[in-house]
Amino acid sequence: MRLVVLTGAGISAESGVPTFRDAGGLWEGHRVEEVATPEAFERDPETVQRFYDARRRAVAQVDPNPAHDALARLERELGDNLLVVTQNIDDLHERAGSRHIVHMHGDLLMALCTACGRRSSVTAELIERPPCPQCGERMLRPDVVWFGEMPYDLDVIDEALLACDMFAAIGTSGAVYPAAGFVITAAAAGAHTIELNLTASEITPLFDEVRHGPASLVVPSWVDEVVTART
Ligand code: APR
């Protein structure tokens, strides 16, 4: 049994990390174009750095919830046959114990040097302009994928989607591509597809099976079923 699980902001909502599209299109009071585009960073780097520094501090204050825990448990059962593909830039999956994971939209705990391209762990608030550990230039930006930029690891994801028996999307609105199209790739490759979300998403009709409810409830019970079905 090979499984790909795509997660979005909804899986971290009950940990206290705000989603993007549930608050009238505003993300912590900002329009997404103000903080999540390369143009915004060029125009006003300080606002963007402050925004992501604040997100990093906020995520450090919260904990994984039972949905993250359940996916870590599933990985203990399936090993590398489970790939978690997250759109989230928080580290709650890792803190719950997931290891076979890709952050397709980047990682809040990493910085990207705009001078040399090296990715490095964030060791200080980026608004303070710490130097790149590789080249020494003080030109680090958050290592997050902004609108108009290419997501990470699409080759790894594509390979896993084409080989999976089951694809699950958890807590994502299906508004952002290419992630919103993964269900189509998995289904075309013959996988059973399931959506676990609080309410209907923009792509609900594309799934074979849909379960609505808070991730902290629906994900653990779905994981129980998957684990029971294979024993
Ligand atoms: N349990 C399950 N689902 C939930 C919960 C919950 N407790 N709370 C909210 N949701 C659902 C919402 O109903 C919504 O469908 O999670 C989804 C969150 O959708 P978005 O806010 O659009 O987040 P996401 O799909 O992850 O956004 C994709 O957009 O701005 C970009 O790069 C950013 O990775 C992000 C991408």
Side-chain angles (χ1 to χ4, degrees), residues 2 9 33 38 41 47 56 65 96 98 102 108 110 118 129 133-134 136 146 162 166 185 191-194 210 213 222:
R2 289 191 189 182
E33 321 78 77
F41 187 61
T47 295
R56 198 177 306 108
N65 67 55
S98 289
V102 296
L108 202 45
M110 300 292 285
R118 161 85 175 255
R129 307 193 68 205
Q134 170 89 2
W146 288 324
L162 292 173
M166 198 190 291
T185 309
H192 178 74
T193 59
I194 175 165
V210 175
W222 171 70

Side-chain angles (χ1 to χ4, degrees), residues 151-213:
Y152 283 120
D153 295 320
L154 290 179
D155 49 346
V156 175
I157 297 168
D158 217 42
E159 196 180 316
L161 289 172
L162 292 173
C164 74
D165 305 296
M166 198 190 291
F167 170 77
I170 301 173
T172 178
S173 61
V176 174
Y177 286 79
F182 290 170
V183 59
I184 296 172
T185 309
H192 178 74
T193 59
I194 175 165
E195 177 177 74
L196 307 167
N197 206 52
L198 191 58
T199 54
S201 77
E202 295 189 18
I203 53 170
T204 296
L206 300 178
F207 288 84
D208 298 322
E209 195 184 335
V210 175
R211 300 189 190 178
H212 288 158

Side-chain angles (χ1 to χ4, degrees), residues 11-12 15-17 59 62-65 68-69 89-98 103:
I11 198 167
S12 296
S15 292
V17 183
V59 162
V62 305
D63 295 309
N65 67 55
H68 300 100
D69 294 339
I89 57 175
D90 66 55
D91 64 343
L92 295 178
H93 283 301
E94 284 88 344
R95 281 201 259 147
S98 289
H103 279 268

Side-chain angles (χ1 to χ4, degrees), residues 111-133:
L112 174 66
C113 179
T114 60
C116 75
R118 161 85 175 255
R119 297 165 82 180
S120 59
S121 298
V122 172
T123 52
E125 304 250 304
L126 296 185
I127 190 77
E128 291 166 12
R129 307 193 68 205
C132 168

Side-chain angles (χ1 to χ4, degrees), residues 7-14 18-22 27 32 36 86-89 105 145-147 170-176 179 196-202 213-216 218-219:
T7 66
I11 198 167
S12 296
E14 290 163 84
T19 62
F20 300 93
R21 292 178 182 78
D22 291 324
W27 185 18
V32 135
T86 188
Q87 297 169 89
N88 299 341
I89 57 175
H105 290 167
V145 175
W146 288 324
F147 284 95
I170 301 173
T172 178
S173 61
V176 174
L196 307 167
N197 206 52
L198 191 58
T199 54
S201 77
E202 295 189 18
S216 66
V218 294
V219 178

